[in-house]
Amino acid sequence: MKAAVLHEVNKPLVIEDVSLQKPGPREVLIRTAVAGLCHSDLHFMEGLYPHPLPAVLGHESAGVVEQVGSDVTYVKPGDHVVTCLSVFCGTCDNCTTGRPVLCTDTSVKMLPGASNRLSWARSEKLNQFLNLSSFAEQMLVHENAIVKIRKDMPLELAALIGCGVVTGYGAVVNTAKVAPGESVVVIGCGGVGMAAINGAQIAGAGRIIAVDTNPAKLQLATKLGATDIVDPRNGDVVQQVRDLTNGGVHHSFEVLGRKETAEQAFAMLAPGGTATIVGMIPFGQKIELHGFDFLRERKIQGSSMGSNHFRVDMPRLIEFYMRGKLHLEDWISAKLKLSEINEGFAAMKAGKTVRSVIMFDA
Ligand code: PAD
Ligand code: ZN
């Protein structure tokens, strides 16, 4: 089968012939239908985060089950599934206390470089990425890395839920637990930020302020629920937000992955407010905060994949879509072939797209 391989950082992905093992007892072989391009893939391509290479990237996908291992009862061939990198064991302390994204069982949630599922004609090891590797015509995953979905859900929209949508929505609903009427700022309105805005609207937030440097993104944000927009090119973002909110917001979400914007997210909080950092700040980089702000009970926290319980959250997100509350069609900027994947990442880097998706049958 064909897969897009990252050989070296800051080099284009190369389409290669690769193979997968037969499913082990708890593994599922999936025919990939759609894979979304997420900025997290780009962070690894640019070397801002380390990963053993060569590797098949991709972690936002939907597909159809082809084959299951001897112990798998959850799905059968023909079932439609969405994948999630938050693979869980179900029995470690974090899983059993309701935080499966923090699963610590490395035999299920394998560490980078540990999986031997992928192979190719060369002697060099080919690495699986985040237990998924979605930029490939097929995926071999643990059964606890997938959720079964209804078959009338379009797979290209379902794929978006696999990372971007569950991350943005979950940051608002699961991590920050935004209450009805509270004010929200989302800094960075790409695929993940748009989901945070749409999630804030579903949660019943009051003011929802979208911050982005791209006017087209701000316009779409308004359609998804933003009540106000802020363009950083019009002046200090923190001051603009303070002016709009009479002194600060209850919740800010950094959905970009930069030091300056993480610091802005904290600085724009009202007393008692919470900043939630969703973006992947380059590995090793530190952020600076005013110590005094903690005396007014301002908080800052991380959010991994929207603190999801994806077997519950993803089918609910699909129901929101079916009821017209989650505007997934608006996310897709381009449908690409696997061979066009580098053009897709170039458009992301230029800030042009909300989400590009690879359509494997195209
Ligand atoms: P994206 O590239 O689609 O969106 C980034 C957006 O930021 C674009 O709309 C830009 O126009 C906008 N932007 C650029 N500069 C500024 C600025 N100075 N101020 C405001 N906006 C600006 O990215 P994405 O939505 O795919 O991902 C966003 C981040 O979320 C990224 O760091 C990614 O790695 C991270 C992420 N985290 C998790 C997690 O579990 N924490 C999961 C998925 C993605
Ligand atoms: Zn992602």
Side-chain angles (χ1 to χ4, degrees):
M1 62 143 175
K2 301 277 183 222
V5 176
L6 178 65
H7 288 268
E8 270 181 76
V9 299
N10 291 313
K11 292 275 165 63
L13 302 177
V14 182
I15 310 300
E16 307 269 9
D17 279 310
V18 312
S19 316
L20 286 165
Q21 288 176 355
K22 291 212 164 6
R26 297 197 63 192
E27 290 179 334
V28 177
L29 182 69
I30 298 162
R31 169 74 45 188
T32 316
V34 186
L37 274 51
C38 173
H39 207 121
S40 302
D41 298 302
L42 187 57
H43 289 321
F44 284 91
M45 289 164 67
E46 293 180 328
L48 297 177
Y49 272 77
H51 195 278
L53 299 179
V56 177
L57 299 186
H59 63 277
E60 179 178 277
S61 48
V64 180
V65 173
E66 238 174 36
Q67 218 183 324
V68 299
S70 53
D71 292 347
V72 174
T73 53
Y74 174 63
V75 285
K76 56 181 186 319
D79 283 344
H80 290 196
V81 293
V82 173
T83 60
C84 186
L85 68 88
S86 309
V87 49
F88 59 92
C89 72
T91 55
C92 72
D93 281 7
N94 284 328
C95 283
T96 46
T97 53
R99 304 184 81 183
V101 290
L102 302 180
C103 176
T104 52
D105 184 340
T106 52
S107 67
V108 175
K109 190 182 185 120
M110 284 188 269
L111 296 172
S115 152
N116 291 316
R117 289 173 178 144
L118 282 161
S119 58
W120 53 358
R122 311 174 195 209
S123 56
E124 206 181 358
K125 180 180 166 74
L126 180 59
N127 291 288
Q128 192 178 31
F129 181 62
L130 304 176
N131 292 285
L132 296 174
S133 287
S134 306
F135 297 151
E137 290 171 329
Q138 289 171 304
M139 294 173 277
L140 183 62
V141 304
H142 192 280
E143 63 171 324
N144 288 358
I146 55 176
V147 54
K148 206 166 20 179
I149 59 163
R150 48 193 277 188
K151 285 192 176 166
D152 57 350
M153 178 66 185
L155 286 170
E156 69 270 28
L157 302 180
L160 305 177
I161 292 176
C163 176
V165 173
V166 81
T167 298
Y169 169 88
V172 170
V173 172
N174 297 331
T175 315
K177 297 185 172 62
V178 170
E182 287 185 325
S183 54
V184 166
V185 170
V186 176
I187 307 174
C189 303
V192 184
M194 290 294 181
I197 289 167
N198 203 153
Q201 191 186 42
I202 291 171
R207 296 291 274 282
I208 304 174
I209 303 168
V211 184
D212 203 291
T213 44
N214 180 337
K217 304 269 177 86
L218 291 173
Q219 201 183 346
L220 177 56
T222 311
K223 182 174 172 198
L224 299 185
T227 57
D228 300 86
I229 55 177
V230 165
D231 188 333
R233 294 169 307 176
N234 295 341
D236 180 39
V237 171
V238 174
Q239 195 54 51
Q240 291 193 65
V241 170
R242 286 195 179 283
D243 292 346
L244 282 169
T245 53
N246 202 15
V249 278
H250 296 121
H251 290 279
S252 60
F253 295 87
E254 199 280 354
V255 200
L256 194 56
R258 289 199 198 146
K259 170 182 162 64
E260 321 79 78
T261 42
E263 289 168 357
Q264 286 169 2
F266 188 67
M268 64 178 60
L269 294 174
T274 305
T276 302
I277 308 299
V278 179
M280 292 175 62
I281 296 167
F283 193 81
Q285 191 162 36
K286 295 181 176 162
I287 65 168
E288 292 167 77
L289 308 172
H290 261 260
F292 172 77
D293 288 340
F294 291 108
L295 289 175
R296 305 295 288 140
E297 298 202 347
R298 293 182 178 89
K299 301 171 198 72
I300 186 161
Q301 63 182 348
S303 178
S304 174
M305 294 297 291
S307 311
N308 71 74
H309 312 90
F310 71 86
R311 289 238 177 123
V312 175
D313 293 341
M314 291 188 185
R316 287 185 184 173
L317 284 162
I318 289 172
E319 293 307 313
F320 281 139
Y321 165 71
M322 293 290 181
R323 284 161 48 199
K325 287 176 174 287
L326 188 66
H327 307 285
L328 293 172
E329 277 104 354
D330 293 320
W331 261 255
I332 297 186
S333 311
K335 294 184 180 180
L336 307 172
K337 297 191 178 96
L338 184 61
S339 58
E340 297 168 322
I341 192 163
N342 290 306
E343 287 90 314
F345 278 112
M348 174 190 288
K349 207 172 168 176
K352 289 183 187 154
T353 47
V354 179
R355 269 297 192 255
S356 302
V357 292
I358 308 288
M359 306 290 291
F360 281 88
D361 54 1

